[in-house]
Amino acid sequence: MAVVMSMVGVLVYSVVRVIITGFFTVRPDQRAVLTTFGKAQRMPQAAMPDGDPEDGDRYAYPPIRVIRPGGPYFKWPWQKLYKVSVATEAVDLTWDPTKRQTTIESVTKDNLTTGVNGQLRFRVCERNLYAYLFGVKDPLQHVMGYFVSVLRERIANFEDPKGGALISTDEFAGSEDGPTVELSEGVSINDLRKNLPLLNDFMEQQCKGTAQRYGIELDAALITEIDPPKEVDQALSAINSTRNQVAADISTARADAEQQITMSKRAVEIAT
């Protein structure tokens, strides 16, 4: 009799546990994936995110069945549920679970160490949840490492597309002395500060492959600060002041020269 009661108790407990833990719902900002004995259900055809063709073989993740918002749904005890938020989130560039830091250090073309700050907006790629859940252990950490490495490479090789010369060599192409030497080279930190939108656009283009690699779509890159050390910043201020003074002197000299030429032409006309 005791054995029968024990069996009935175990049966009732199992049924109640299955019923209580078996039903679940998915919120509108969530997506869910079910695995059966550790394997997610594959889908025969599904649109995968675009990426670098060279990454196709290395990051060829299978499309899996994604549970949309709604419910209640039911799962068996041998199935495991994974819920993922697909809402757009923001994270600072300084975020790193392995260490605490207040800025990202990077070396410019002029071999100056500068600090970079900003934010990334991202969201989980619904079309590639396999990569996010099962492809890598910490996809956000991988994305941040990838982004920072690309950013440092770009900063180290960045050049102002408009150039840093004060005088165009085309104006003196016909002079006997040959082309004019640039009065001042472009300062990389100044060039970066002036071209932050261009730098952000470049980073967004370079990080389009993160959806295919890690299952995270980069929504926007917002690099807001590029600050060198205090001593370097003071030196840059002096350089900028000098460049502005030189540019002003050149403009004044050019205006005086044009005025003298105009007066000389007028005098010749009157004499004639």
Side-chain angles (χ1 to χ4, degrees), residues 34 51 60 76 83 118 141 175 185 187 213 232 234 254:
L34 271 180
W76 296 103
K83 289 185 179 181
Q141 186 175 352
S175 64
E185 296 180 355
V187 180
R213 294 184 177 189
V232 176
Q234 293 175 353
R254 183 178 298 169

Side-chain angles (χ1 to χ4, degrees), residues 15-59:
V15 171
V16 172
R17 181 174 177 81
V18 169
I19 293 176
I20 293 177
T21 61
F23 290 96
F24 65 93
T25 59
V26 181
R27 298 200 312 264
D29 63 334
Q30 290 181 331
R31 300 295 183 268
V33 173
L34 271 180
T35 60
T36 303
F37 296 111
K39 182 177 181 180
Q41 180 181 354
R42 269 56 168 178
M43 300 296 291
Q45 294 180 352
M48 298 298 289
D50 298 329
D52 192 340
E54 297 180 358
D55 294 339
D57 296 334
R58 183 178 181 184
Y59 301 99

Side-chain angles (χ1 to χ4, degrees), residues 173-200:
S175 64
E176 296 178 357
D177 297 334
T180 303
V181 179
E182 293 184 356
L183 297 182
S184 178
E185 296 180 355
V187 180
S188 57
I189 294 181
N190 289 340
D191 295 342
L192 287 165
R193 285 173 169 174
K194 291 187 298 182
N195 294 277
L196 280 181
L198 183 63
L199 183 62
N200 287 330

Side-chain angles (χ1 to χ4, degrees), residues 146-160:
Y146 174 75
F147 183 89
V148 170
S149 64
V150 174
L151 177 63
R152 284 173 171 162
E153 189 273 338
R154 181 59 173 169
I155 290 177
N157 298 281
F158 186 84
E159 294 182 0
D160 188 354

Side-chain angles (χ1 to χ4, degrees), residues 200-257:
N200 287 330
D201 292 341
F202 175 83
M203 294 306 301
E204 290 181 21
Q205 292 293 328
Q206 292 297 310
C207 293
K208 283 186 175 180
T210 56
Q212 181 183 5
R213 294 184 177 189
Y214 312 116
I216 292 181
E217 293 179 320
L218 184 64
D219 184 67
L222 303 174
I223 301 171
T224 56
E225 297 179 5
I226 296 182
D227 296 324
K230 184 177 181 180
E231 298 79 5
V232 176
D233 201 13
Q234 293 175 353
L236 288 176
S237 298
I239 292 174
N240 292 335
S241 299
T242 304
R243 286 171 59 91
N244 293 336
Q245 184 62 43
V246 171
D249 293 343
I250 291 173
S251 298
T252 302
R254 183 178 298 169
D256 292 341

